[in-house]
Structures are given as structure tokens and as C-alpha cells.
Amino acid sequence: MKTLIQNILDIARLKRVDYADIRIVHRRTEEIGVKNGNVEAFTHDEDSGFGIRVLFQGAWGFASSSKMTKTEMETVFAKALKIARASLKVRGNGVVYPSASERVDQYRTPISIDPFKIPSEKKLNLLLMSDEMMRRNRNVKISEAFMGSYKTEKTFASTEGSYIEQEIVECGAGISATAIDGGEIQVRSYPNSFRGNFATKGYEWIEALALKDHAERIAEEAVQLLYAKPCPSKVTTLILDNSQLALQIHESIGHPIELDRVLGTEASYAGTSFVRPEMVGSFKYGAEIVNVVADATYPGGLGTFGYDDEGIQAQRVPIISQGILVNLLTSRETAHVLGKESNGTMRADGWNRIPLIRMTNINLEPGEWTLENMISDTEEGVFLSTNRSWSIDDKRINFQFGTEIGWEIKKGRLGEMIKNPTYTGITPRFWNSCDAIANKDHYQMWGTPNCGKGEPGQVAHVGHGASPARFRNVQVGVMKGSD
Amino acid sequence: MTGKEACLRLLKDVVQESPADQTEALLLTEDSSLTRFAKSSVHQHVAEKNRTLILRVVIDKRIAVLTTNFLDRSSIRDLVKKAISIARIQHPNEDFVSLPKQPQPVPEINTFHKNINSLTPYRKVKVINDLFKMVKEKRLQASGSFSNGAVEVAVVSSFGVEAYQRYSDFVFHLIVEKDGGSGYASYVSRDPAQLDIDSLAKEAIEKALRGEPVQIEPGEYEVILEPYAVSELLSFLGYLGFHALAVQEGRSFFCNEFGKKLVDSRVTIYDDGLDPEGLQIPFDFEGIPKQRVTFFEEGVAKGVTYDSFTGNREGKNSTGHGLIAPNTEGPIPINLFMQGGESSLEEMVRSVRKGIYVTRFHYTNVVEPMKAVLTGMTRDGTFLIEEGEIKMPIKNLRFTESVLRALSRVSAVSRDRRICSEGTVYSRRFITGVVAPAIKVDGFNFSGVSAL
């Protein structure tokens, strides 16, 4: 393999390109889905190939193929160079690509138990048992359990002399119970909606989730929701549990701080950002207690790795400090806009995609409160948990979320359960209304394995650490359309 | 391209290798390229070649699906062995009856245009450069993407199903911006000769030139939804309720409602893989020919799509809507059409006293599935209409609305329709499109506005 890679890099140097890199990626995926006692999906995917990125006179070209032979690699290099040459005319000001120091290294996700070495029967039985436990509640009409294991081996090499090998292992699982009655659907999930919670950890992570211990509870809650009262429509105090807060961070902080979005290069698909480069260092993104870091080194985070796909080492970078925006997620090509060097966030979804600026683990630092004190300190409001729906505009200003479940807060106590909770807000206004964040005892990492961006489409695995937090004067209950 | 003979030979070898009770092999090949631009310069220009084999084996109702792009003989032998071992450890799926048993003749239609190969990197850059010149003349900036591909789909099963089709496609998305205002236009087709970059640019530029958007209060308004916006709503209906799995699981808005009039009689929505106005697809991913399925006929709930799994459950035939295995979402329709009406878009605008003109929606998501309540934002061309005239651009609005409720308030449907496509989906290229008219809705709920 090394010889094949070296051959391409030698050709690149001979062709006098500004820069070239090659990534060889081999991915293995195992996913098991169980629904109503049946195995709905049991899949093994294996996929490999390589992608070559060429920078020629300030214009990029990229080509990729699944056929890994010397001839094919040379053909693909030639295609990438041809694309770069063709793009010269329309390259704008041309790419300025600062050099990076040569890195020769290896990184492996530290795991205790390789999920691919666990017998399939064992995994399947865990899911079937959890699924069965949910269906013991006769009002549960759909019970589902999911487990996914992922292993990515990638080799990155560049004309700068870097040669980096990485093995990233991820896994996750979750269960959900759906109760249906009278034209209404209610769903409860554990540990999170949309298939569960994911981490760069081994099978020990799945065991720690203890799916079966929560099956009965979520089944009961799904049924209770059918008969719960609707979320009131009012402006009130909102406390979010850490799983919903993770998605709130993702959508209203994580995406707006991607410098490629800020510079407009995602305009045609995912959108841009209300953030402008000149806001860095002065913009009051949130209240003084709001501190956010981008931490690609956090143990077990779904956005944790050794090096990004430009050969830059994983970093922990402050993004919001005491409420002030202090940095953005950057790449080698974009960081100069801020007068900085890349903070290592370029990742590609496989061999056939180019790296883009992606979130790593975007974490809200814990505060001082206990959740109990936060609730008892709240005269009136709602406590919402577990995401059900999300939507935000193309500049990441106006958001609206729905959660699976909520409870009223009255006079410092959790009150009645409420169904179909929704809330809406304007990003900086919302984060500036944050007046309490729970302490590290309540802190948890949440993996988001479905972050979409780019054309052709790419899915990134990213993480968010959060403790529950409180926000004042939030519009909840945005359901006029369903009258 | 791999070619029909080579694709089918490969798949037959795979099926022959398998000792399972039932075996299905699906091959997807792709040779594609995408050029992306922003602020009137190209910042991304990529190409990809891949072949993916999806193997489904069944042993006594125990099903396993394996996917690989390792297609040499020994890898395929290993793949089949692995599939068998995974199937054997499973519990039988009692709801499963069989993979499609009766091979059916596939309609012969041409879905490939040779001149897709003319879209070389240089040719595409020339088209984009011409566009940049047009935009620059108006002191605007362009962002977008120009993507093209050649795709093959082949299916072979142990029941004798044998189908092959090659497709060409291109998708052009364009956003033009100035002073906070923006306009959008897009085009999708199987034939690159159909690309009219001048009219595409004109469509987006006209919207962007209307000036800086002003803010208006959210609330309930009459709306004119362009086909781009309508197509998004139709796609969500397809996902939420137009297919048999959603009905069988009791989560479709069609449950217990067939034969009832649920929306305005101006509304007829159907799926037709063979209609040349759409992106034709002669057979599904199980090799079953596409049938036309009507969901709403003059407002009345009529039917849903089936694949072999959901069809067998009810003793019905598949309607040719099987998606790539393992499909846990159901046989979601991918060739949606809404029937055109009798109005022109201009007449529809003239009939609005005070309302909103919406070009497209962004980041739409489900709030309440059984009522088809969605939320999302408007984007790239939202205007205030007063006394029958488009007056000014307005800041993007958030809607929270039941699509069924909106369709029950349709008071006009445009004669003209257009095909709309989001383009590539994640990981695999298979372009689909929705053919939609513009509609007028007498009361559409906007719940918020996007402004700092």
C-alpha cells in the first residue's frame, strides 16, 4: 500500500502541483434493527476506496475510485489534476493553502471490547429482549431496538511528507416504544431518539447503556403521553435535559461557527451563517455563564479522532468564553481569515468525499447547579426531554424544536406530564437568556451520527457534551398548525 | 459503465454461489461528478467511480443483507458465506412471506442519454463561467452546484428476476444573492441538452433583484407556493403516509380514511415511474415494474404503494416501490406527481389580496406525523403580495402547518408544472424528482420570522 501511495505522491511532485494528498479508507459497518419482535434489518457493509485531492495553481481537483490498483490510482490522479486545471478559470482569487508540518503517526480509538468480536447472537438477543419488554405493555404498537458498530481504517499521506494511519471504532444502541391511539402517535426513546446514543468506544459502551433496564419505563411513558395534556402555548422558563440541549448546541452553535458556512461556501445546500468573521472576539453569543469548547480529544466523544483529514492533530479549542465568541471551526484553507492556523476540523465521509469543516465534540461546559436546585428555583416553566423534531433557517437564526416529553414546573416542582412539546427562538437571544447550567455530575456526552452537510451529501459523526440548562422567556407550544 | 451483460453475469454468479432458500443480488454502479460554486467562484470540483453490491439472502424467513464494493470472486464467495451465517443465527421474521416470485416483463424505456459524457470538467466550467458573467452584469453573486452522473441498476434473484437499466442525470441548483435578497432556480433532467442556463439564471436573478427584504409579522396568510415548495410538502406526505408500511403500522394519516375526501377536490396526487414528464424509472430495487398509484383523486384518499414485503402481508402484489434493502422506512414513493390545474401563476398572484409568495422551503421537519404537521423556513425568494401584485421581498418566515389542512384550503392550481429535485442523497447516487404545479392556499400558518 505504501508503495502505491508513494507512487502517486511522486507523480504529483513531478507534475509540480501546489499540494496533493491521498486518503485510503476502509469502512466496516454492522447494523441490527429489531421491530415488534422481528429482525427488521441485519446488515454488514464493507466499503473501501481512495480519494486524491490536488491543488494546482490555486484550484482544487478531487477524484476517487473504489478500484485500488496502481493503474487506477494513476488514472484517478490524472483526473483530479484535469479537474483542477479546468477549474483554474473560475477559481476566484485562488486558494491560499498554508503548509503544515510533516506528521508520521498512528492513532487508534482506545477500546476495551471490539464490537466486531462480540457474537452476533449476543447482540441480537439483547435487542430482542429489550424489544419484547417494551411490548409487554399492550398499548405499545411499535417497539424498536437498534445497534450499530462501525470501524474505519484510514491512511492519509500528503506531498508534505505526512503519513498518518488511524483506526476509529464507534458503536451505539437505543430502543423506542410507539403508542398509537385515536389518530395520535407518541414515542419514547432511550437513551436518545433516532437510534440511541453513540460513542467512540467499544462494546463496553453498549453494555453500560443497560437498554433492558429502561424498556418498561419508556413503554409506560409513551402510553401516558397519549393521555397527557398538550404543551401550553406561552412565553415561559424552559429547562432542557442534556440530550435535547446537545441538539440545541449542534444546530444553533455547532453549525453557525463552521467557517466554511460563515464564508458562504455551503450556501447552495446547508446554508450560511449569521456569524461574520469580524464578530470573533467581541460578539456576545450567550450569557456570561455560557462556555463552549470544540474538543476533538474528549475521550469517547463521537467527534473524537487523532488527526483530521488534512493531517492536522485533534485539538481542544475554546469557542465561546464567558458568553463571547472567541473562535470558529477552521481548516487550513480558511483559518487565515481569522489570522489563525487550522484547528483541525476537516473530515470527509469516506474515500469518495472531500473533507469539509465538521463539528468535532462541541461541548457546553458544566455550571454550578444541581438539576434539583434548578427546578426548585423555578417558579413556573417547563422541563423538556429527548428530541423529536428540529428545524432551523439557512443562517441558523430562527430555530424550532419538538421533544418527546415534557413536564410542567410549578412553584419549584415538576408537575404534570405534557405532550407534543415545542419551543422556538432566535439563536443569540436564546443563549443570552441562559441563567443556569447544571454541574459536572449531570454532564453527559451525546453522539450525533447523522450530521448532514455538503454536496454530494456527507454524513458526519459528531459529539456534544452538556448538562441540563435553564433559559428564560422562551416561546413554548408552537402548534397552531395542528388545530 | 459496466454494461448490461457484465452486470447481469456478475449478479447471476452471486446468486448461483448462494445456497440460501431465496437470494437477491442488486448492483449499483456510479460514475459521477459535481462542481460546486459560491460567491461566483468554483471551490469544489469532484468525481467518483464506484460499484456496490447488495446481497439479500433468506433462509426460512431469516433474512440478512450485506453490502460491499469488493467485487472480486473470492470476496464475493466470502460475502455469500457471511450472509448465510448471519441469516442462520437470526430469528424468523414471521411477517415475511417471500421475495418477489414472479419475474415480470420490465417496460423498455430509454433513461440514458449518451451526451451525458459531454459534461467534461472543461465543459461544465464553461457553463458555470457563462453563468458568472450573466450574474456579474447585474452585480450579483452566484452559489450553487452542477452535478452529473451515469448510474446502472441491475437486479437478479433466485426466482428468475432479471432486470437492468442505465440512467443518466444532471442537476443544477442556483442561488443568486444581493443585499440580503436571494433568488433560486434549479433544473434536473436525464438529458444535458435540456439545460438552458440563460433561463435558469434569469429566473433566479429576477427574484434577487427585487431588493433588500423587509420584516413582516408572522400569522396566517394566503400563500402562493411555487412548485419547489409544493414538491417539498408532497415528499413529506410520501414519507409519512402514502405507503403501505405506514398504514400497516397505524402511523399514516390515511389509516381508516380511504374513500373519504380529506383535501380539496382540486388536489390529485399520484406516483408514476413511467411518466416521461418525471425522471422515469421502469422498475424498483426488487426488479418489479413500476405501476401508477393514486393517493388523492380529486381530494379523496385512494391508495398507497407496496413493495413485496408489505404486499405479501395483505395478499396484494407489489406496486413496484421496493427500495434498497434493508428498507425499514417502507415503500416510499419516489416519482410523485401533483396534477396541474387551470390557472396561470400570474392569475393566481392577481387573485391574492394580501399574502405571501414562497419560492422554496428549507430544513423542513415533522412536528406531528398523523396530522402531517410540518415546520420549516422559507428561503431564496419570499415576497409580500398586496392587491394582486408582488410588492417586496420579505425576511424568511417559519411555517408550522398541517399539509393536509393546507391542501384542504387549495383554491387554485397552476396549469404548468415543473420537475423538482434535491439532487444527490447521502452515499449513493440515484436522482429522483417530484413533478408539481404551483398552488394557492387560502390560509397558511407562519409561526415565526428569521431576524436578529
Side-chain angles (χ1 to χ4, degrees), chain B residues 350-367:
Chain B
R350 274 202 299 274
S351 71
V352 175
R353 199 183 59 77
K354 184 175 183 186
I356 312 289
Y357 184 98
V358 177
T359 298
R360 65 187 293 221
F361 291 127
H362 173 80
Y363 221 137
T364 306
N365 212 330
V366 181
V367 178

Side-chain angles (χ1 to χ4, degrees), chain A residues 5-6 8-14 16-22 53-55 60 77 95-105 156-164 307-313 331-333 341-342:
Chain A
I5 291 172
Q6 204 48 55
I8 292 303
L9 297 176
D10 287 346
I11 295 172
R13 289 184 190 106
L14 277 173
R16 297 185 180 281
V17 302
D18 307 344
Y19 168 89
D21 60 37
I22 177 167
R53 202 166 63 136
V54 172
L55 185 64
W60 283 115
F77 171 79
V95 173
V96 177
Y97 200 67
S99 60
S101 56
E102 175 186 331
R103 300 302 298 248
V104 178
D105 204 356
F156 168 90
S158 74
T159 47
E160 292 169 333
S162 287
Y163 193 94
I164 298 162
Y307 289 84
D308 78 352
D309 290 333
E310 290 194 312
I312 303 295
Q313 194 160 21
S331 63
R332 288 172 65 174
E333 184 181 335
E341 290 184 356
S342 167

Side-chain angles (χ1 to χ4, degrees), chain A residues 300-471:
Chain A
L302 196 63
T304 299
F305 48 84
Y307 289 84
D308 78 352
D309 290 333
E310 290 194 312
I312 303 295
Q313 194 160 21
Q315 297 168 37
R316 184 180 194 276
V317 183
I319 296 293
I320 297 172
S321 294
Q322 296 183 307
I324 303 295
L325 180 69
V326 295
N327 208 342
L328 302 174
L329 303 177
T330 65
S331 63
R332 288 172 65 174
E333 184 181 335
T334 59
H336 71 90
V337 172
L338 303 179
K340 296 175 190 268
E341 290 184 356
S342 167
N343 47 37
T345 69
M346 287 286 272
R347 286 191 292 158
D349 180 13
W351 54 269
N352 51 358
R353 299 287 184 266
I354 58 161
L356 299 174
I357 292 176
R358 303 310 305 246
M359 289 174 231
T360 55
N361 301 298
I362 309 300
N363 305 334
L364 175 66
E365 299 281 71
E368 303 292 331
W369 293 69
T370 65
L371 178 60
E372 296 71 27
N373 286 346
M374 202 187 292
I375 291 169
S376 64
D377 182 62
T378 303
E379 180 64 18
E380 195 222 9
V382 293
F383 175 60
L384 305 187
S385 173
T386 320
N387 181 262
R388 189 166 87 167
S389 79
W390 64 97
S391 174
I392 189 162
D393 69 283
D394 59 309
K395 292 193 166 43
R396 303 273 148 177
I397 300 169
N398 179 308
F399 60 79
Q400 183 169 313
F401 290 97
T403 64
E404 287 185 352
I405 195 166
W407 289 267
E408 284 185 318
I409 301 172
K410 279 190 176 165
K411 294 185 176 161
R413 287 170 175 244
L414 281 188
E416 283 188 78
M417 181 186 284
I418 51 176
K419 67 180 172 187
N420 302 331
T422 52
Y423 67 96
T424 188
I426 299 295
T427 295
R429 214 176 288 161
F430 181 79
W431 284 105
N432 274 286
S433 78
C434 180
D435 76 342
I437 300 173
N439 64 30
K440 60 181 172 26
D441 296 339
H442 298 276
Y443 188 80
Q444 196 175 340
M445 285 299 293
W446 296 93
T448 303
N450 56 350
C451 176
K453 188 176 174 182
E455 293 172 293
Q458 300 197 36
V459 178
H461 294 187
V462 307
H464 302 291
S467 303
R470 185 172 68 185
F471 302 85

Side-chain angles (χ1 to χ4, degrees), chain A residues 26 28 35 38-48 60-66 72 79 82-83 85-87 89-92 120-121 124-125 128 142 180 183-185 251 263-271 274 351-354 356 388-400 420 422 424 426 428-429 452-459 478-483, chain B residues 31 34 36-51 63-70 82 86 89-95 121-122 125 128-129 132 143-145 173 175 177 245 249-251 326-328 360 362-371 373 375-380 396 398 400-402 405 422 424-428 445 447-452:
Chain A
H26 181 186
R28 284 173 67 198
K35 185 191 268 187
N38 285 322
V39 181
E40 195 185 38
F42 200 130
T43 65
H44 273 254
D45 290 0
E46 195 161 10
D47 173 81
S48 92
W60 283 115
F62 174 84
S64 60
S65 172
S66 58
E72 179 74 354
K79 195 171 185 178
K82 186 178 176 184
I83 287 172
R85 283 180 193 275
S87 307
K89 253 191 188 175
V90 283
R91 66 178 181 182
S120 299
E121 292 96 323
L124 191 55
N125 284 338
L128 284 166
I142 304 173
I180 304 175
E184 185 176 345
I185 294 180
E251 301 291 2
L263 297 176
T265 52
E266 273 297 319
S268 66
Y269 178 64
F274 71 93
W351 54 269
N352 51 358
R353 299 287 184 266
I354 58 161
L356 299 174
R388 189 166 87 167
S389 79
W390 64 97
S391 174
I392 189 162
D393 69 283
D394 59 309
K395 292 193 166 43
R396 303 273 148 177
I397 300 169
N398 179 308
F399 60 79
Q400 183 169 313
N420 302 331
T422 52
T424 188
I426 299 295
R429 214 176 288 161
K453 188 176 174 182
E455 293 172 293
Q458 300 197 36
V459 178
V478 197
M479 297 295 292
K480 283 180 192 166
S482 63
D483 290 347
Chain B
D31 188 350
L34 185 140
R36 211 169 180 215
F37 48 97
K39 296 194 171 172
S40 295
S41 68
V42 167
H43 63 95
Q44 188 180 319
H45 197 156
V46 300
E48 175 187 359
K49 254 176 111 168
N50 197 8
R51 298 194 300 171
I63 308 161
V65 178
L66 276 79
T67 302
T68 187
N69 70 354
F70 291 84
K82 197 171 189 178
I86 289 174
I89 59 157
Q90 293 201 31
H91 295 222
N93 185 334
E94 295 304 335
D95 287 340
Y122 286 98
V125 163
I128 291 169
N129 205 22
F132 288 169
S143 300
S145 63
H173 290 301
I175 295 170
E177 290 175 281
L245 188 67
E249 291 182 344
R251 58 183 170 85
N327 171 24
T328 56
R360 65 187 293 221
H362 173 80
Y363 221 137
T364 306
N365 212 330
V366 181
V367 178
E368 272 197 67
M370 292 289 267
K371 293 175 183 163
V373 176
T375 188
M377 298 295 301
T378 64
R379 186 178 172 185
D380 302 323
N396 288 320
R398 168 171 297 287
T400 304
E401 181 60 277
S402 158
R405 180 178 174 270
E422 281 297 309
T424 57
V425 290
Y426 297 122
S427 71
R428 292 185 187 117
N445 182 51
S447 54
V449 62
S450 180
L452 286 173

